[in-house]
Amino acid sequence: MAKIAYILLCHKDPDAIIKQAERLTAVGDYMAIHFDASADPAQYKAIRDALDDNPNVTFAAKRIRCGWGEWSLVQATLHAVESAVEAFPRATHFYMLSGDCMAIKSAEYTHKFLDNNDADFVESFDYFESDWIKTGWKEERLIYRHWFNERTQKKLFYGMFNLQKKLGLTREIPADLQIQIGSQWWCLRRQTIEWILDFCKKRRDVIRFFRTTWIPDETFFQTLVRHLVPEDQIRGRTLTFLMFTDYGMPVTFYNDHYDLLLSQDYLFARKISPDASDLKRRLGLLYAAQGVHFQISNEGRSLFRFLTGRGRIGRRFATRFWETESTLGRERELLIVVCKKWHVAKRVLERIRQTTNVPAIEYVFNEEDAQLPALGGIEKTIGKRTRHRRALMRMLFDYFETDRLIVCMDPSNLDLLEDFSSDRSVTRILEIDCSFTDDYLVGHAMRVGLAGEQTSQETLDRLLPTIRNDMVFESDAIRDAQFENHCRIRESASSEENADELVKFLGIAGDKALEITNTDYLFSD
């Protein structure tokens, strides 16, 4: 009978990981865990303390820092796979999972399904002939070398790409490989996994190629399986059910999707909402159940297209995240830096980026050219972003695969601050209180069109008190709103006082906060 070694890559939510491991191993299956080395060490310790005595759980022998689009995700998978192969000699199948996945069939059904289908399940399509990549780069992912992370080192990433393109520094794809692309959620037989590991040891040239390929987790295993395994032993599909919205974001499943999920011709589903406690409870009980009959109708995708295509806003099957009243997610934390001097806020944000791993975006609701990822068009204009503010934030949380996100806002965005503060998520506000010289106010008046190069000094003298009062009014309005988590750093305060506020806002150590507030040029004009 099939014995499955689940390969779990994760970086958060230790309680959910522990429950998932206990649930899947309770019926005799196995699990190998790679917990991101950049995540909280205390969380990793909690997982180890809970699972070290479980003989059916092992951990990757080497943990590395993972980044979206990087080789590190493939390398972390290989580390976990190597540990699983060594620790579980009786494992017949290796199944790739994320922390957002849950079984939608019983273990009894899952084992019987794999026994009756002696094949590797991996979504793999010809990289150049298929239309799997809908928009954006295609051959550029492969023929240029990508050393930097596109999300956290954007300037270096695109700078090196443009330099290679300008100089014509392309490279050849390994001649004997036909590059494939597809979902990273695969289920492979033991023999296939052993072939892949052996191939990796012998073909360092292929490893070097994929190390600098962009988003290799969508091409590495997909290509090697097609290269090593006979065609008739491959099923070009994933066994994990997932859907995408028109914006290209994964659909999240909620409590009322239980019957829908069970009727799909898949073994697992992704992504389960962190708030769907009843759905998680029912699916958790299901995996250990015996004698359950599943009536497969497989209508999930057609239902989703039908209902969302008509603009339906409902409770069942339709997407929820763009609804006005939708929540960002109870487990998420939105950190908002508020400052009238945008250059000061950006400077503070840059120092925070250097100190923490929290994704941060500058003045998303104020600057038309804010550095936003492609999100299906919702990011195109300030008007769209503001109208669909919660949708935008949810998509950014999903895009960065994080539960913490920092954005900058102007103090005039009081309505946005009130809206986000009323959400179920945790919203923290850091107000940066700066002093405003007359020269700065004159420059501000010119930037916003209240004055020009030819404006007389007499007019400016009348205008400046009004502008200063407006700024004071906006700051007072924020304080009058009495936001629950409102922190404030001031140009006139000491570094130690400001560091105390940063500790409350970011939840970082005092010495790290002091390192930020001690920056000499922090408030400079």
Side-chain angles (χ1 to χ4, degrees):
M1 189 177 82
K3 299 276 284 184
I4 307 167
Y6 292 104
I7 308 300
L8 179 64
L9 263 58
C10 47
H11 63 280
K12 60 180 182 179
D13 203 350
D15 290 339
I17 293 166
I18 293 165
K19 288 177 183 176
Q20 190 179 43
E22 291 174 342
R23 193 162 47 233
L24 295 178
T25 59
V27 295
D29 288 322
Y30 310 109
M31 179 173 284
I33 298 173
H34 179 279
F35 193 74
D36 197 322
S38 63
D40 185 350
Q43 294 188 351
Y44 181 61
K45 184 179 184 302
I47 296 169
R48 293 298 300 252
D49 289 346
L51 298 176
D52 267 344
D53 292 336
N54 187 329
N56 286 16
V57 176
T58 191
F59 292 84
K62 185 177 181 182
R63 293 170 59 216
I64 60 174
R65 293 173 177 267
C66 296
W68 183 87
E70 291 181 13
W71 167 257
S72 55
L73 288 175
V74 177
Q75 187 62 71
T77 305
L78 289 172
H79 285 325
V81 166
E82 288 166 351
S83 294
V85 167
E86 183 179 348
F88 309 126
R90 296 181 61 199
T92 61
H93 293 76
F94 295 76
Y95 197 121
M96 183 76 180
L97 287 180
S98 78
D100 297 320
C101 297
M102 284 198 72
I104 55 174
K105 297 292 186 291
S106 63
E108 180 183 57
Y109 179 99
T110 298
H111 294 150
K112 186 178 294 185
F113 178 93
L114 295 177
D115 287 338
N116 294 337
N117 292 273
D118 184 20
D120 295 307
F121 288 84
V122 56
E123 190 177 77
S124 53
F125 302 98
D126 186 278
Y127 189 91
F128 293 101
E129 297 299 325
S130 72
D131 64 345
W132 200 85
I133 299 176
K134 303 295 184 186
T135 60
W137 287 357
K138 196 164 190 175
E139 69 172 1
E140 292 90 345
R141 293 192 189 188
L142 305 177
I143 65 173
Y144 295 106
R145 296 169 178 84
H146 304 281
W147 292 282
F148 301 101
N149 186 287
E150 191 269 342
R151 292 184 176 178
T152 60
Q153 299 166 296
K154 201 173 285 287
K155 287 184 179 179
L156 289 171
F157 179 89
Y158 288 105
M160 289 305 299
F161 166 74
N162 290 328
L163 180 62
Q164 292 177 80
K165 189 174 182 181
K166 183 178 179 180
L167 298 176
L169 298 177
T170 59
R171 61 175 176 173
E172 295 294 326
I173 297 168
D176 58 331
L177 292 186
Q178 184 178 4
I179 304 298
Q180 305 285 313
I181 190 166
S183 167
Q184 62 268 56
W185 312 114
W186 40 255
C187 177
L188 304 177
R189 297 167 299 171
R190 186 181 192 91
Q191 183 182 50
T192 301
I193 287 291
E194 290 174 345
W195 284 346
I196 289 173
L197 295 178
D198 186 56
F199 182 90
C200 291
K201 292 174 184 175
K202 294 177 179 177
R203 292 292 303 274
R204 304 310 297 174
D205 60 315
V206 173
I207 300 300
R208 283 195 299 272
F209 172 78
F210 279 106
R211 275 186 182 277
T212 51
T213 295
W214 192 40
I215 320 182
D217 55 316
E218 293 179 350
T219 55
F220 180 78
F221 289 98
Q222 297 79 351
T223 299
L224 294 197
V225 171
R226 288 282 176 187
H227 184 73
L228 298 169
V229 179
E231 178 77 22
D232 61 355
Q233 296 180 36
I234 301 173
R235 304 292 179 266
R237 55 163 293 201
T238 175
L239 293 177
T240 299
F241 180 60
L242 65 162
M243 298 191 296
F244 292 90
T245 70
D246 292 341
Y247 291 110
M249 304 304 295
V251 172
T252 301
F253 299 110
Y254 297 86
N255 287 335
D256 52 356
H257 286 123
Y258 180 78
D259 294 331
L260 170 73
L261 293 177
L262 265 59
S263 67
Q264 305 311 304
D265 188 19
Y266 295 85
L267 304 181
F268 280 74
R270 184 180 187 272
K271 306 171 64 166
I272 307 298
S273 168
D275 297 326
S277 53
D278 189 56
L279 176 62
K280 290 192 286 187
R281 179 188 62 81
R282 296 174 75 183
L283 291 177
L285 294 172
L286 176 69
Y287 193 70
Q290 297 283 325
V292 180
H293 174 69
F294 296 91
Q295 188 167 343
I296 307 299
S297 58
N298 222 28
E299 84 293 12
R301 288 189 174 87
S302 58
L303 267 175
F304 181 79
R305 284 194 300 270
F306 175 79
L307 294 172
T308 58
R310 283 154 179 75
R312 177 182 185 271
I313 299 177
R315 291 189 58 232
R316 192 163 187 259
F317 307 132
T319 52
R320 291 162 171 74
F321 73 84
W322 59 59
E323 298 171 34
T324 303
E325 62 274 16
S326 66
T327 178
L328 303 185
R330 195 183 298 276
E331 306 300 322
R332 286 172 167 167
E333 191 172 6
L334 179 61
L335 308 174
I336 305 174
V337 176
V338 180
C339 185
K340 200 67 182 180
K341 288 187 177 180
W342 294 4
H343 60 281
V344 173
K346 291 177 181 181
R347 206 174 286 141
V348 171
L349 207 62
E350 184 56 33
R351 294 293 287 116
I352 290 174
R353 281 196 191 103
Q354 295 167 5
T355 308
T356 73
N357 290 320
V358 183
I361 303 176
E362 302 167 356
Y363 289 96
V364 60
F365 298 104
N366 305 101
E367 289 187 308
E368 201 79 58
D369 60 348
Q371 294 299 303
L372 289 166
L375 299 172
I378 196 173
E379 80 287 356
K380 294 294 184 185
T381 66
I382 290 176
K384 279 189 177 181
R385 297 173 209 165
T386 304
R387 276 197 307 277
H388 305 293
R389 61 195 69 166
R390 296 198 183 189
L392 178 70
M393 287 299 109
R394 283 191 70 106
M395 293 168 78
L396 288 172
F397 276 111
D398 289 340
Y399 178 85
F400 289 108
E401 297 184 339
T402 184
D403 285 331
R404 299 186 87 205
L405 181 68
I406 307 176
V407 297
C408 289
M409 289 189 197
D410 190 272
S412 61
N413 297 134
L414 182 62
D415 57 332
L416 297 178
L417 295 175
E418 290 175 333
D419 187 24
F420 287 125
S421 293
S422 67
D423 191 79
R424 291 180 192 169
S425 62
V426 176
T427 301
R428 300 188 189 280
I429 297 170
L430 176 68
E431 184 185 2
I432 304 177
D433 188 359
C434 302
S435 59
F436 302 103
T437 63
D438 285 351
D439 286 343
Y440 174 83
L441 293 179
V442 169
H444 174 76
M446 291 182 176
R447 284 190 294 273
V448 299
L450 294 175
E453 294 293 336
Q454 305 304 317
T455 303
S456 68
Q457 187 61 46
E458 184 182 6
T459 301
L460 288 173
D461 289 342
R462 290 200 304 269
L463 187 60
L464 294 190
T466 303
I467 297 174
R468 193 184 298 278
N469 287 338
D470 279 348
M471 293 181 176
V472 172
F473 174 82
E474 289 172 352
S475 182
D476 285 342
I478 291 173
R479 268 166 267 173
D480 290 342
Q482 297 183 331
F483 295 117
E484 184 179 355
N485 299 302
H486 179 200
C487 307
R488 187 164 167 247
I489 65 175
R490 294 170 294 132
E491 185 173 353
S492 59
S494 68
S495 295
E496 289 74 18
E497 290 172 320
N498 286 336
D500 289 341
E501 292 297 291
L502 265 187
V503 168
K504 289 189 284 186
F505 177 67
L506 292 171
I508 59 176
D511 58 338
K512 286 191 174 184
L514 195 58
E515 185 180 329
I516 295 173
T517 58
N518 271 333
T519 306
D520 293 336
Y521 53 85
L522 207 59
F523 292 94
S524 299
D525 285 333

